[in-house]
Amino acid sequence: MKYWFQVHTGNVCQPSPVNVDLVLQRLEAFADRHQLDGVFAGWGAAPEVYEILVKKLQEWHIPFYFKSAAFSEIEEAPRLLAQWGREAGQLSYEPMMDLHMEEAKPYHLNEEENFLFRCPSSPVNRRIMEEFALAFTDRFSFDGVFLDRIRYNSLISGISGMGCFCPGCRRIYRDKGVDVDHVRQLLLEAEVHERTEVQGAKDVPGDKKILPAIYREGIWIFEDPELNKFFKARSEIIIEAVRSLRERLQARGKKLGLDLFTPSAAYFTGQDVLGLSKEADFIKPMLYQFTDAPAGIPFEMPFVSALTGRYWSVTEVFDADLQLLKKASCSVYPGIEVNVIDPICRVSPRELQETLKKIEQSGFTGIVCSWNMEKMPEENCQVLFTEKTIS
């Protein structure tokens, strides 16, 4: 098994200190065993960190990607672009509008993650996203961009957060044949039931169908045909945003990787995983079995279950999505938890080893170790390094 590792450098203009010596020591241990497949680092402005890592990884012939974000978590991107003399530094983000035509609200997880999403169809927002990523690949010798937050809000924001319903997005929906008024009315009615069904989903599996749907190969198919057209339009908006960045990266000889939700939950965020796999050099689906926070299977899927009436265990979701990912059009490196972060994630060495075994048995040869290599517990690093059976 080969590994991709992530190095977190903090927020855009507030970089976090990185223990580069520890990171290099750990990377070298895997490189010596020919188990190091690649590294992502970002999204803070940390030139000295990138320069050190670039030099060493080039010596080892290991791919190095700038980890960026699309529509959330890079609030200070225009400020940095202005400091670096790029024209996009004069731009300001345009908000995502929820079902009630109000600005989308953030989901505050911690000091560095607010999950405040902005309109993904906005040309302004897309330009900021692209220019921010390209500013780093132009400035440092990255091999490409690893793009995160390329989506809408997930169901943690409830049905009202399934936008965007700004004037531009509504126009796009109509151009794609969506009866926007019907969809809004349907979602507003569904929202009435949401407070009792979805909000209780963390404790009790939903047994009522608020928006009846069936799951088929990464796509949720709803009983209402207009809702299907609406969800398809959202996924096409996300694909178009990815395609635009990919084309600009390709013109520079750079590659693109995508950080995506696990397929069963992804479509509710606007991500058609198999469709997006046609626009990238590789994808990292977040197959997080032990994370009670955004993108974690045990966190996201109860909301999906309460909405659709379709309940799966975490293991069932993991196994089904792992098989589906074999149909992707690009390389797939499943993302799994290695870090322990109280109180949202506690993965034991045994659980890590069992996950690695499942992935390997499914035919995948590489994984992404989430989230931050510098802060991975030593006992979990040893599982990756030794691959010995834990009794």
Side-chain angles (χ1 to χ4, degrees):
M1 184 72 73
K2 291 191 174 184
Y3 305 110
W4 288 74
F5 292 101
Q6 300 181 177
V7 179
H8 181 61
T9 57
N11 286 341
V12 177
C13 293
Q14 295 177 311
S16 300
V18 176
N19 186 339
V20 179
D21 290 339
L22 174 61
V23 169
L24 287 175
Q25 178 185 342
R26 287 183 166 181
L27 289 175
E28 187 170 16
F30 289 98
D32 287 346
R33 289 171 57 90
H34 305 289
Q35 287 185 292
L36 181 58
D37 227 6
V39 177
F40 314 131
W43 42 69
E48 66 289 345
V49 175
Y50 301 140
E51 288 168 357
I52 292 170
L53 291 177
V54 160
K55 182 178 179 181
K56 184 58 67 175
L57 291 170
Q58 284 182 341
E59 289 178 9
W60 297 338
H61 304 289
I62 297 298
F64 187 35
Y65 285 72
F66 176 64
K67 182 179 179 182
S68 188
F71 301 119
S72 176
E73 309 309 332
I74 53 171
E75 283 78 8
E76 294 179 310
R79 175 183 160 196
L80 182 69
L81 291 171
Q83 290 176 1
W84 286 3
R86 298 181 79 108
E87 291 184 5
Q90 307 305 313
L91 301 176
S92 298
Y93 284 110
E94 295 179 346
M96 182 180 291
M97 307 301 288
D98 67 17
L99 187 61
H100 301 281
M101 311 299 191
E102 298 174 350
E103 291 191 15
K105 298 176 177 60
Y107 177 89
H108 182 74
L109 180 65
N110 55 43
E111 290 183 0
E112 294 183 341
E113 294 180 291
N114 279 309
F115 295 92
L116 175 60
F117 281 86
R118 299 176 180 84
C119 174
S121 76
S122 161
V124 171
N125 294 349
R126 289 185 180 184
R127 188 177 174 201
I128 293 172
M129 176 262 287
E130 292 177 10
E131 290 297 322
F132 179 72
L134 295 173
F136 282 85
T137 57
D138 290 347
R139 198 177 186 96
F140 306 99
S141 297
F142 288 106
D143 295 290
V145 171
F146 178 60
L147 190 62
D148 196 359
R149 310 293 163 88
I150 179 68
R151 60 181 178 87
Y152 296 84
N153 291 321
S154 74
L155 285 172
I156 61 172
S157 299
I159 291 174
S160 66
M162 291 171 65
C164 176
F165 288 94
C166 73
C169 281
R170 295 202 305 273
R171 182 172 59 253
I172 293 171
Y173 301 150
R174 292 190 178 101
D175 289 345
K176 292 178 179 291
V178 179
D179 185 336
V180 179
D181 293 334
H182 172 79
V183 168
R184 282 196 68 239
Q185 184 59 38
L186 184 67
L187 294 177
L188 286 168
E189 291 173 358
E191 190 179 26
V192 174
H193 303 284
E194 177 190 24
R195 293 177 181 85
T196 56
E197 294 299 322
V198 177
Q199 296 303 322
K202 296 296 292 177
D203 302 311
V204 182
D207 57 1
K208 295 181 181 179
K209 298 180 179 181
I210 299 176
L211 294 175
I214 58 173
Y215 177 69
R216 186 176 297 155
E217 296 200 331
I219 303 294
W220 284 90
I221 302 172
F222 299 87
E223 287 186 1
D224 188 286
E226 292 300 320
L227 205 54
N228 283 322
K229 288 190 282 186
F230 170 68
F231 270 79
K232 187 172 187 295
R234 292 165 78 240
S235 70
E236 289 172 347
I237 287 171
I238 297 299
I239 287 174
E240 289 164 5
V242 169
R243 182 179 298 133
S244 177
L245 176 60
R246 174 179 60 82
E247 290 172 350
R248 296 187 70 183
L249 285 169
Q250 282 184 337
R252 288 165 161 80
K254 307 292 184 179
K255 294 184 177 182
L256 177 65
L258 300 177
D259 203 8
L260 304 177
F261 266 41
T262 195
S264 298
Y267 201 55
F268 283 95
T269 73
Q271 293 178 346
D272 171 359
V273 171
L274 295 185
L276 284 166
S277 74
K278 298 175 183 178
E279 304 293 337
D281 294 285
F282 66 90
I283 60 173
K284 170 209 158 187
M286 294 180 276
L287 300 179
Y288 299 156
Q289 301 174 90
F290 312 103
T291 301
D292 192 24
I297 294 173
F299 186 87
E300 300 286 350
M301 287 306 294
F303 296 106
V304 173
S305 298
L307 197 64
T308 64
R310 173 73 157 87
Y311 177 75
W312 293 327
S313 69
V314 170
T315 299
E316 287 172 327
V317 171
F318 181 89
D319 291 346
D321 284 352
L322 199 57
Q323 293 305 309
L324 172 68
L325 288 164
K326 294 180 180 181
K327 299 182 179 183
S329 299
C330 65
S331 298
V332 178
Y333 304 112
I336 64 170
E337 304 100 319
V338 178
N339 283 112
V340 172
I341 304 176
D342 284 322
I344 65 172
C345 178
R346 290 200 61 83
V347 56
S348 69
R350 177 182 291 278
E351 289 167 331
L352 174 57
Q353 186 181 62
E354 290 172 351
T355 301
L356 291 171
K357 183 178 180 181
K358 266 191 177 183
I359 291 174
E360 190 170 28
Q361 288 175 341
S362 295
F364 296 94
T365 58
I367 65 166
V368 178
C369 301
S370 299
W371 294 269
N372 185 0
M373 186 184 204
E374 180 186 349
K375 297 185 178 180
M376 288 178 179
E378 187 60 36
E379 58 269 27
N380 284 354
C381 284
Q382 286 301 311
V383 171
L384 300 175
F385 187 67
T386 64
E387 296 186 352
K388 292 180 180 178
T389 301
I390 297 174
S391 58

